[in-house]
Every structure is written in structure tokens, then in C-alpha cells.
């Protein structure tokens, strides 16, 4: 067994969130630059230029890309040969606490959805744990802003709805979101599973690399058709029109009940902040 100390988990979580807040993934920057080159609508081109400039300033001056530094979402993939003899969620929360204090990141979490008292340290984080073979610990961290999360949706479609039903639900979701989700977007789409599983599928889809494609051909075809459809919606950058409504669509699927076709659309705004480390 390989032991990973609590202090190592805490310091890595802290570093991931501090980095994620100020430094946009280079693949997202590249996608924004490519989109700007082919965008024919002048206003959309100008907005993309400002988004690109904004992330550049944030990186150079070590300041957050956006004022909403989000809820801390963490996916831990823990090897079967890794030994963690402490409260993992408590360690994650300590790392988040340190990151939000030391990075001067906005604390956006309230204690209860109706009492709404700020917890003052951005905890608790949303923590997901999965077991993997081997002796590695993989940490994925993403500060998720509310603008795009609030516009995300889930539907339990009848199986007869098929691909057309999924496409129409995704398009409707993007149009309802309009500028509120700060496009251009990255769409994490979950299909299958059940009510709670499909939401996790959509969220994990957002953690995929921007340039990868789904392993399954059906999902791959759906990624392509959805991207084309969404980019023909004319929602455009910040909802002001244009051909760049989304940079990528990622579809994750799972088996489901014969009578169900669950679909979840987790929307990620252009401030697609996420970092991963392998220990
Ligand atoms: S949706 Fe994204 S870019 Fe817009 S305010 Fe929220 S975190 Fe910032």
C-alpha cells in the first residue's frame, strides 16, 4: 500500500484551486482564439477578443479570471493500493479553505439554501470519490460559477424521444440560458443512468479534455451533431449573437432502464477553470 499524507492532499487541493482561479486551460484559450479567427459577426469577434485578453491579464497579474470563483468541485480517483488514514472530505475542505483565503478568492457558499449565511471560507466543497486500480491518486478540481450552473437542466425523456428529443432539449437549454451562462460554453451532456447518475455523467463530461472525443461512436456522433446545432442557434458570445455559442460538447453515457431516457445538460461558461494533478 502507498500512503499519501493528509498534508499532501491539503496542499495539492489548495494549489489546484489557486491556479485554476487565475489560469485558464491552454486548450480553452486555443479554442477561443480559433473561434475568433472564423467568427464572421464583428461584435462576437470583439467579445471573444475581450475574453482572450481578460484571461491573459488574469494569468499575468495573478488575479481571478472572474469575480465568481465558484463552488469548489472535487473529483478524487483513488487507487486501490492507496492508503488514506484520515477524513478525506475534511482534508479537501481544509485545502479549499486555505486556497480561498490565500488566493483572495470570493467566498460564495452559504450554510443553507434558505438561511443563506455565508460560511466565510467557501466550504463545504462538493466531493466525489471513485476507486481506480493501482497506486495513484488523481485529483480534479474545478471552481464552478453559479451563472452557468444555474442554467443547467435535467430531463427524464421517454425512450421514444431518441436523438431528436436529446437535441431539442439541449438546444432549448442553451437558448433559455442565453447570455446568463456567459457563452461561449462548454456543454457536459449526460445520457442514461437514472436521475442522480445522469447529473454526475454531465458533470464528469466537463472534466474531459477539450480536444478528446467520446470512446463510443454513438456518443461521438451526438457530440458532433449537438455542437453544430448549438452553434447554429445564434446565441453567440455573451448571448449577443454570432456563430460561437459553444466551444465543445462532451457526451458521457451509461446503461439505463428500458422505460427511461435521462438527459442532463451541465453548462460550463467560457471561464472553464479546472486543474488536475496525479500523485
Ligand atoms: S457564468 Fe462564468 S464567466 Fe459568467 S459570471 Fe459566472 S463564473 Fe463568471
Amino acid at each position: 500500500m502507498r500512503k499519501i499524507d493528509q498534508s499532501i492532499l491539503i496542499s495539492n487541493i489548495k494549489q489546484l484551486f489557486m491556479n485554476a482561479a487565475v489560469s485558464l486551460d491552454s486548450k480553452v484559450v486555443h479554442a477561443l482564439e480559433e473561434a475568433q479567427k472564423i467568427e464572421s459577426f464583428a461584435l462576437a469577434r470583439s467579445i471573444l477578443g475581450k475574453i482572450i485578453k481578460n484571461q491573459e491579464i488574469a494569468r499575468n497579474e495573478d488575479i481571478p479570471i472572474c469575480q465568481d470563483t465558484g463552488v469548489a468541485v472535487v473529483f478524487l480517483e483513488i487507487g486501490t493500493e492507496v492508503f488514506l488514514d484520515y477524513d478525506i472530505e475534511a482534508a479537501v475542505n481544509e485545502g479549499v479553505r486555505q486556497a480561498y483565503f490565500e488566493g483572495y478568492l470570493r467566498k460564495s457558499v452559504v450554510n443553507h439554501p434558505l438561511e443563506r449565511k455565508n460560511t466565510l471560507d467557501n466550504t463545504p466543497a462538493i466531493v466525489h470519490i471513485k476507486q481506480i486500480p493501482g497506486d495513484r491518486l488523481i485529483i480534479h478540481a474545478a471552481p464552478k460559477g453559479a451563472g452557468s450552473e444555474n442554467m443547467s437542466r435535467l430531463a427524464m425523456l421517454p425512450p421514444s424521444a431518441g436523438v431528436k428529443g436529446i437535441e431539442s432539449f439541449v438546444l432549448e437549454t442553451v437558448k433559455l440560458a442565453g447570455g446568463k451562462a456567459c457563452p461561449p460554453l462548454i456543454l457536459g451532456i449526460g445520457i442514461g443512468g437514472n436521475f442522480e447518475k445522469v447529473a454526475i455523467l454531465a458533470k464528469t463530461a466537463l472534466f474531459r479534455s477539450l480536444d478528446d472525443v467520446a470512446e463510443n461512436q454513438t456518443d461521438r456522433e451526438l457530440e458532433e451533431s449537438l455542437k453544430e446545432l448549438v452553434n447554429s442557434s445564434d446565441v453567440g458570445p455573451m448571448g449577443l449573437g454570432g456563430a460561437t455559442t459553444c466551444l465543445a460538447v462532451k457526451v458521457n453515457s451509461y446503461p439505463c432502464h428500458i422505460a427511461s431516457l435521462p438527459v442532463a445538460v451541465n453548462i460550463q461558461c467560457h471561464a472553464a477553470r479546472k486543474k488536475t494533478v496525479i500523485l
Side-chain angles (χ1 to χ4, degrees):
M1 294 295 275
R2 176 174 168 238
K3 186 173 176 202
I4 297 177
D5 283 340
Q6 185 175 7
S7 60
I8 293 176
L9 178 55
I10 292 172
S11 64
N12 275 280
I13 292 281
K14 173 181 148 186
Q15 218 46 60
L16 288 172
F17 279 103
M18 286 176 71
N19 290 344
V22 303
S23 156
L24 197 58
D25 181 355
S26 59
K27 288 179 183 167
V28 177
V29 180
H30 180 69
L32 288 164
E33 288 168 347
E34 291 304 302
Q36 192 194 25
K37 281 182 202 157
I38 55 171
E39 175 65 63
S40 55
F41 183 41
L43 178 58
R45 242 189 352 265
S46 157
I47 294 169
L48 288 169
K50 287 181 172 57
I51 290 172
I52 293 165
K53 185 74 187 162
N54 176 65
Q55 65 77 35
E56 194 181 305
I57 294 170
R59 185 191 318 266
N60 292 342
E61 300 193 12
D62 204 26
I63 51 176
I65 297 162
C66 177
Q67 90 289 340
D68 184 354
T69 48
V71 165
V73 180
V74 174
F75 278 85
L76 295 173
E77 297 183 58
I78 305 177
T80 48
E81 293 159 41
V82 171
F83 178 47
L84 306 172
D85 61 344
Y86 45 86
D87 182 335
I88 297 168
E89 288 205 29
V92 167
N93 281 326
E94 181 54 30
V96 167
R97 189 172 291 120
Q98 292 182 13
Y100 279 73
F101 272 112
E102 290 184 35
Y104 299 101
L105 309 179
R106 194 183 82 185
K107 289 87 181 163
S108 308
V109 175
V110 292
N111 68 322
H112 182 282
L114 295 176
E115 294 169 13
R116 306 200 80 80
K117 292 190 191 89
N118 197 303
T119 63
L120 302 177
D121 61 5
N122 221 55
T123 71
I126 311 283
V127 183
H128 305 275
I129 295 176
K130 180 182 162 191
Q131 208 172 34
I132 55 169
D135 67 354
R136 298 185 308 169
L137 170 62
I138 307 176
I139 311 172
H140 306 277
K144 188 73 171 70
S148 55
E149 196 74 356
N150 286 350
M151 305 316 292
S152 300
R153 290 166 85 219
L154 189 156
M156 302 301 287
L157 299 179
S160 58
V163 172
K164 288 281 164 233
I166 294 171
E167 287 178 345
S168 117
F169 181 68
V170 172
L171 187 60
E172 183 184 67
T173 301
V174 169
K175 285 185 174 172
L176 280 173
K180 289 183 194 157
C182 296
L185 313 170
I186 297 169
L187 297 174
I189 312 290
I191 54 172
N194 64 356
F195 190 80
E196 77 274 12
K197 177 75 178 174
V198 76
I200 298 285
L201 289 172
K203 180 71 75 188
T204 50
L206 289 179
F207 280 84
R208 283 173 44 197
S209 177
L210 202 69
D211 55 4
D212 78 350
V213 291
E215 286 170 18
N216 171 311
Q217 181 165 350
T218 305
D219 297 352
R220 235 174 8 247
E221 286 170 6
L222 196 54
E223 288 180 349
E224 283 166 24
S225 70
L226 285 173
K227 186 175 176 194
E228 201 178 315
L229 187 68
V230 166
N231 279 334
S232 66
S233 68
D234 199 34
V235 169
M238 298 311 286
L240 296 173
T244 318
T245 303
C246 78
L247 300 174
V249 179
K250 304 290 172 194
V251 175
N252 280 3
S253 63
Y254 196 79
C256 63
H257 192 285
I258 47 170
S260 297
L261 175 49
V263 184
V265 184
N266 197 188
I267 300 183
Q268 172 62 62
C269 61
H270 67 263
R273 297 152 293 182
K274 66 178 165 70
K275 298 285 171 196
T276 293
V277 70
I278 302 175
L279 302 179

